[in-house]
Structure formats: structure tokens, C-alpha cells
Amino acid sequence: MRYFIYSLFLTLLFSSCAEKNKTFLASEVSLLPKPVSLTLGEASFAFKDGLSVAFQSEDQKSTANYLVRVIGGKTGASLELKEDGKAAIVFEQVDGIEAEGYQLEVTPKKIMIKASDPSGYFYAVQSIFQLLEKQDNGTWLIPSVSIKDNPRFKWRAYMLDESRYFHGEEFVKQMLDQMALLKMNVFHWHLVDDAGWRLEIKKYPLLTEVGAFRSDSEIETWKSGKTSGEPHGGFYTQEQIKDIVAYAAERQITIVPEIEMPGHSSAAIAAYTWLGTAGKDIDVPVKFGRHYDNYDVTKPEVVQFIKDVLMETFELFPSKVIHIGGDEVGYKSWEDAKHVQKYMKEHGIKTPADLQISFTNDISKFIEAHGRRMMGWNEIMGVNIHKGFEEKKHDKEAETELAKNVVVHFWKGDVKLATDAAQKGYGIVNSLHSNTYLDYSHKSISLEKAYSFNPIPEGLDKQYHKNIYGSGCQMWSEWTPTNPDVERQTFPRIAAYAEVGWTQLENKDYESFKVALKKIQKDWDSLGINYFKDYEKVEAELKAKKEAKEKEDKEN
């Protein structure tokens, strides 16, 4: 009996040691987005109580604190933070590592985190979180690895539209956490549109008192004729905004607010009638889509209102880029207004498109004077990309040139427009709608199609590649009223876009991406994120449909 107990003790002991020193198989180790290089070593590093984490600078301290907090929450291990000296986990500054890049060296006894900036340290820590595995005996391990990594693009964005539906602080923070894990660094926050004004502006309280609420909401799809029968509303106070901005900053995410102008302005006009061109009282629209009364940009008091709003926006958002929208501006209200036509004639402005660019350039100068840079959807260049719509039947396009210090957010039209803009020196964020709009069905944009998107337009000469800052994926929320609805449309495609933005083109591989995705899905399951689970089924259906079509074409 004694021999049996002793044998059992030795078995458990060696089993425990084996777990602690486990050598991971290559098939068990993956990161998303895929790094530049990853070399797998022998054995592994175990997280346990009392391990020390050493930092040498304030930049490192912030991420070291974050590491200690998250590891403690996940594994239960209490780590000790110390300034410099010997430690099991060490942050080290290494000049020469690219911006946002990092090196991660893990051995059974030590973890070295090397970078040249705060983002690099942070992304190394995110890789640690992804590599972390709980063993059967309760031990938390990460494999011995050597990783060198840096991003392909500097702009890796997720856009959340909260004008159509207000989703709330808790949901936004969840999205920021998921973005951080995927090494995405720009949260494009669409806070203002026809359907609602979600940002408290203290100088103009009616923007949220009136503009943040509507009596009903169109449901199901465009022009369905159906409504929810329920009012909807909500907005963020300035204190909430500051808290969310700080939460994002800790995760190396810049929040870029979008304040729509001069179109998509019905919520503001509902609050202050004098902002509109038509001079008519309106309610915040119930129906989604285009509403064609614009800000009356010929009135100095309206332009001043916009600048006042921007001044408060500057105070809330430290982002160097401010998005002004500028898309889908219907010109009919300007064409029908005699005083606008008179203004255009007096100022030598030939078309409404020129009027929009004149206004946009003025706002660009104002934004630049306050140390920021303007960004807008590609209509701000004055090229008519909506010729099929009633309000855009004219073929006239702007002759006025858009100011050069502007980031053009390309979303629609001939891709040549993006190519031309890049060649002219404009900064471009390429978010072509047919490849990046998350409100589109999973059949319209499958996971594989999302993954295959290349933000650099085909044929663009290499010397202009630097003008393509990156890409964003856009979650427009007209038909996703609940947070689970948004999650279903966002996940798992956000992971594909994360790899589009981060991973070098030659390193991308869809099959290995799907392997890494399976691991991330376990985290989503534990958090209760309502991700779309049938993506493989959809891809199989699309493949079968394509093959049948090819067969039919061949037979014909």
C-alpha cells in the first residue's frame, strides 16, 4: 500500500513538473494578427504568485501595470511590480525597433519585452495574453518563443456608428478591449448624423436635449414601411467621453470622432432650426437614409456654430485627426434657396460641389490652426460618386481644389479616385464599402473576402504607398438596434481586418488565420460575444455556387 501511495505521489509530481515545463507543439501556438516572425523554443514559462515585473521608464510602467492587472485577473497570480533590477518579466527599451513594433523573448525562466515606444510594449503584452494557456493542473503557461513584429499600416480602425442607435459606455469599452487584443489602434466614433446627436456640447444644450432623441425608428431594411413603435435616444456626457478616451488611451487606441457636416445634419437642425438652409422646423427623422436639408454654410452664425462645436470636440478628444464626414450631401436645398444662389454668385462659386469644398477648406484651416488635421469621406474632393440618385443627377463636379493637409477616407466610387488622390499627395484611408462595411451580410462580405482586402489600390506606384495610411472596417447600425446585433455583424470579420492592417502581405495566409481565429473564439465564448458562427458554412455555399456558375458557363 505504501509503495502504491509513493508511486502515485511520484506520478503526480512528475506530471505537475511536465505540465510546468511543457513544450508546445507548433500547431498549438498562434497569434492574431500574424507576426512578422515567430520561432518556437523548448519548454514554457509558468505564471505564479510572487513573480516580479521590472520597468525602467514611465512609458513602460503604464503597460507593466496593465500586464500585472490583467494577468492577475485571468490567472489569479499576484505579480510584483518593481522599478528596474532583476525580475522574471523585464521591459527594455531598444532603439531602432520600428514604431509600434516589438520583440518578445520567452524562456522557461524569463520574459523580455523590447520596444522603442509605448505601443510596442503594449502589443508585446497583447501577444502574451494570446499565448497564455491554462493546463489541466491549473497552471498558466506560455510557450518559449522568440517574436519579432511590427505593423504593415499605421491606421488600423474600427468604426462604430452610434447616431442610428446608442450602444452605451459598457459596450464601447468591450469593443476597445477586443480592438486592443487584435492590435487595432483607431476607434472611429460616428457620433453625429441625421438620426441622433450623441455628444454633449455645453454651449448648445439642445443638441442632446432634442437631437439625441427620436419618437420611433424604421426597422428591418431601407423603405420597409415598418417602424419599431418605440422611441429611442441617448448621449454621452462630456465626463463619460473623457473616461472612454482615457480607457482607449491606456490600450494605445486613438478615438477619432466624426462630426458630420454640412450634410447628415437633421438632428442638429431639429434642435436649432436656424442651422438649416430651408428654415423649417423638423423633428429628428424616424426613417434612415439621406435627408437633404444641409447646414446653411452661407450664414456666418452657422459656420460659427460648427467651429464652436469643434472647439469643445478638441477639448474632449486629443486625437490629431478630426473626421468631418462630408458624404452624401444633397445639393437640392442649396439649389432651391435664393439666398444661397445669391451668395454663390457674389463669391464666384460655380456649383454646389464648389460651395461644399469652399466650406470644407475653411473648416480644414480652422482645424489645422488648432493643431489638428481634418479627415472626411471622399466626396469632399468634389467628385460626384452618386450620379444615380435624384439629388445628384447633374454631372457638374467641383473645380475648387481640396486643401492638401486633409486625410481622404475613400469609401465609394472608382478605385482610381483613391489612386489619383494618393498620387496628388493626399493621405488616404482606404475603406472601400464593398470590402469593409460590416453592416453588409456575411454572404456579401464573407470572412475570406474581408481577409483578402488590400488597402493599397492595384497598380499604385510604390513611391505613393506611403500615402495609404491603412484601412478601417465600418459598423453602420441602421439595422442592428441591439448590441448582440452589432456583435453578430462585427465578429469574426473584425479579426480579418485586424490582420489586413497589421500583417505583412507576404506573411498572410487564410488557413493559418482560421486556426488562430478558433483560439480567439474561445475568448469570445467566455465573454458571451454573439459572433457569427456559420462563416465556414457560408463560404462553402459561396464556393459551391461559384463552381456551379463556372460549370454552367463552360457548358454554354
Side-chain angles (χ1 to χ4, degrees):
M1 183 67 178
R2 270 192 239 166
Y3 176 77
F4 173 75
I5 293 172
Y6 181 66
S7 298
L8 180 62
F9 169 74
L10 288 177
T11 300
L12 291 172
L13 177 65
F14 287 126
S15 174
S16 175
C17 290
E19 285 290 319
K20 287 181 181 178
N21 294 286
K22 171 183 175 179
T23 294
F24 285 76
L25 300 174
S27 60
E28 297 176 290
V29 180
S30 60
L31 283 175
L32 205 166
K34 190 177 180 181
V36 171
S37 69
L38 185 155
T39 303
L40 184 61
E42 293 186 357
S44 49
F45 180 95
F47 282 93
K48 56 188 177 183
D49 282 339
L51 290 178
S52 54
V53 180
F55 65 91
Q56 301 167 1
S57 68
E58 286 303 309
D59 285 346
Q60 296 170 354
K61 183 179 181 181
S62 175
T63 300
N65 267 313
Y66 181 78
L67 170 66
V68 168
R69 188 172 75 245
V70 175
I71 289 291
K74 190 159 188 174
T75 70
S78 179
L79 307 184
E80 177 190 348
L81 199 62
K82 59 187 292 189
E83 191 166 356
D84 214 345
K86 292 183 178 180
I89 303 171
V90 177
F91 286 80
E92 179 183 345
Q93 179 166 337
V94 177
D95 295 332
I97 295 178
E98 288 189 37
E100 299 188 280
Y102 66 91
Q103 294 175 11
L104 181 63
E105 303 288 341
V106 180
T107 68
K109 292 185 177 181
K110 196 166 190 176
I111 295 178
M112 291 293 298
I113 298 168
K114 302 176 183 180
S116 63
D117 63 12
S119 295
Y121 300 125
F122 183 80
Y123 294 137
V125 167
Q126 295 304 312
S127 291
I128 289 172
F129 295 160
Q130 282 198 37
L131 291 168
L132 200 57
E133 289 276 5
K134 187 177 183 179
Q135 307 304 303
D136 292 340
N137 67 349
T139 305
W140 288 87
L141 305 178
I142 66 169
S144 293
V145 290
S146 176
I147 298 172
K148 292 183 179 180
D149 203 8
N150 59 270
R152 183 185 180 203
F153 294 106
K154 62 184 178 182
W155 188 285
R156 307 178 301 280
Y158 172 77
M159 189 211 82
L160 180 64
D161 166 25
E162 287 212 69
S163 172
R164 276 61 180 227
Y165 282 98
F166 180 73
H167 296 289
E169 186 174 355
E170 184 179 343
F171 183 73
V172 167
K173 287 182 175 179
Q174 175 186 275
M175 287 308 310
L176 292 171
D177 285 339
Q178 293 306 307
M179 288 176 63
L181 190 65
L182 294 167
K183 301 183 176 75
M184 300 177 85
N185 65 349
V186 176
F187 180 61
H188 173 185
W189 209 358
H190 191 82
L191 290 163
V192 173
D193 212 302
D194 294 302
W197 186 290
R198 308 294 176 208
L199 171 65
E200 180 188 25
I201 300 296
K202 293 187 182 293
K203 189 167 184 176
Y204 300 98
L206 294 184
L207 288 174
T208 46
E209 289 176 22
V210 174
F213 300 89
R214 59 177 184 264
S215 61
D216 206 341
S217 301
E218 186 178 20
I219 59 172
E220 294 186 7
T221 189
W222 307 103
K223 299 179 181 179
S224 68
K226 301 176 184 178
T227 62
S228 67
E230 298 176 355
H232 180 79
F235 65 91
Y236 293 99
T237 67
Q238 294 200 355
E239 288 307 307
Q240 285 177 307
I241 292 287
K242 290 174 185 175
D243 178 63
I244 292 169
V245 166
Y247 191 90
E250 185 184 32
R251 288 150 183 78
Q252 299 302 314
I253 295 170
T254 299
I255 298 184
V256 174
E258 182 176 352
I259 312 296
E260 279 275 6
M261 60 185 82
H264 284 298
S265 48
S266 298
I269 295 169
Y272 297 99
T273 305
W274 54 270
L275 292 172
T277 304
K280 296 177 181 177
D281 289 338
I282 62 170
D283 296 323
V284 178
V286 168
K287 292 184 178 181
F288 300 125
R290 300 171 181 82
H291 299 271
Y292 300 115
D293 193 9
N294 310 319
Y295 287 132
D296 187 346
V297 299
T298 69
K299 291 180 182 176
E301 62 268 32
V302 174
V303 175
Q304 187 58 50
F305 160 85
I306 290 167
K307 291 179 178 179
D308 291 340
V309 168
L310 286 171
M311 286 299 291
E312 292 197 33
T313 302
F314 297 153
E315 288 296 315
L316 296 170
F317 297 95
S319 168
K320 290 295 181 185
V321 175
I322 303 294
H323 205 303
I324 59 96
D327 59 309
E328 298 179 331
V329 180
Y331 294 146
K332 193 173 187 304
S333 64
W334 288 347
E335 291 171 335
D336 290 346
K338 291 181 180 179
H339 71 279
V340 173
Q341 293 302 307
K342 181 183 176 185
Y343 176 93
M344 289 172 60
K345 189 174 182 181
E346 289 173 350
H347 290 79
I349 298 173
K350 294 181 179 180
T351 70
D354 287 294
L355 178 60
Q356 182 180 351
I357 291 187
S358 176
F359 160 76
T360 301
N361 284 346
D362 179 41
I363 295 301
S364 172
K365 289 174 186 175
F366 177 79
I367 290 173
E368 189 175 4
H370 289 85
R372 312 299 182 96
R373 189 175 179 188
M374 192 188 83
M375 181 176 188
W377 302 106
N378 57 284
E379 287 98 321
I380 63 173
M381 298 194 73
V383 177
N384 183 1
I385 61 172
H386 301 286
K387 292 178 182 177
F389 296 116
E390 182 66 30
E391 81 284 2
K392 292 277 189 172
K393 279 189 174 177
H394 62 80
D395 290 325
K396 294 178 182 176
E397 295 181 346
E399 295 179 9
T400 310
E401 185 177 45
L402 178 68
K404 278 292 193 296
N405 187 33
V406 170
V407 181
V408 176
H409 200 169
F410 179 75
W411 77 280
K412 188 171 184 175
D414 190 332
V415 178
K416 190 174 182 297
L417 295 173
T419 302
D420 291 345
Q423 290 172 340
K424 290 175 181 176
Y426 292 101
I428 306 294
V429 172
N430 188 355
S431 295
L432 181 63
H433 70 102
S434 57
N435 291 73
T436 70
Y437 271 28
L438 291 165
D439 54 312
Y440 289 13
S441 74
H442 289 268
K443 285 187 177 180
S444 295
I445 302 179
S446 67
L447 183 66
E448 185 172 12
K449 183 176 180 180
Y451 185 82
S452 65
F453 180 60
N454 186 355
I456 294 181
E458 188 176 352
L460 180 66
D461 193 279
K462 196 168 184 177
Q463 65 177 310
Y464 303 113
H465 285 195
K466 66 181 184 297
N467 293 335
I468 308 296
Y469 295 166
S471 185
C473 52
Q474 288 64 233
M475 184 62 249
W476 300 105
S477 66
E478 286 95 340
W479 317 118
T480 50
T482 71
N483 293 346
D485 290 334
V486 173
E487 290 171 348
R488 184 191 66 247
Q489 293 300 111
T490 296
F491 299 92
R493 291 183 294 188
I494 189 174
Y497 295 118
E499 194 145 307
V500 166
W502 182 277
T503 303
Q504 306 301 322
L505 202 57
E506 61 273 17
N507 273 1
K508 287 182 68 184
D509 178 78
Y510 185 58
E511 293 307 315
S512 66
F513 162 77
K514 286 196 292 184
V515 171
L517 182 62
K518 294 293 184 184
K519 187 176 179 181
I520 293 280
Q521 285 174 202
K522 293 179 183 177
D523 290 332
W524 296 343
D525 286 330
S526 67
L527 293 168
I529 291 175
N530 183 40
Y531 63 93
F532 182 72
K533 297 178 176 64
D534 290 334
Y535 59 88
E536 290 179 312
K537 180 181 176 183
V538 166
E539 287 180 355
E541 290 173 356
L542 291 171
K543 184 180 179 182
K545 188 176 180 180
K546 182 182 177 183
E547 288 173 350
K549 179 70 166 60
E550 289 173 349
K551 183 180 179 182
E552 182 184 340
D553 290 343
K554 192 174 182 181
E555 289 173 351
N556 291 336

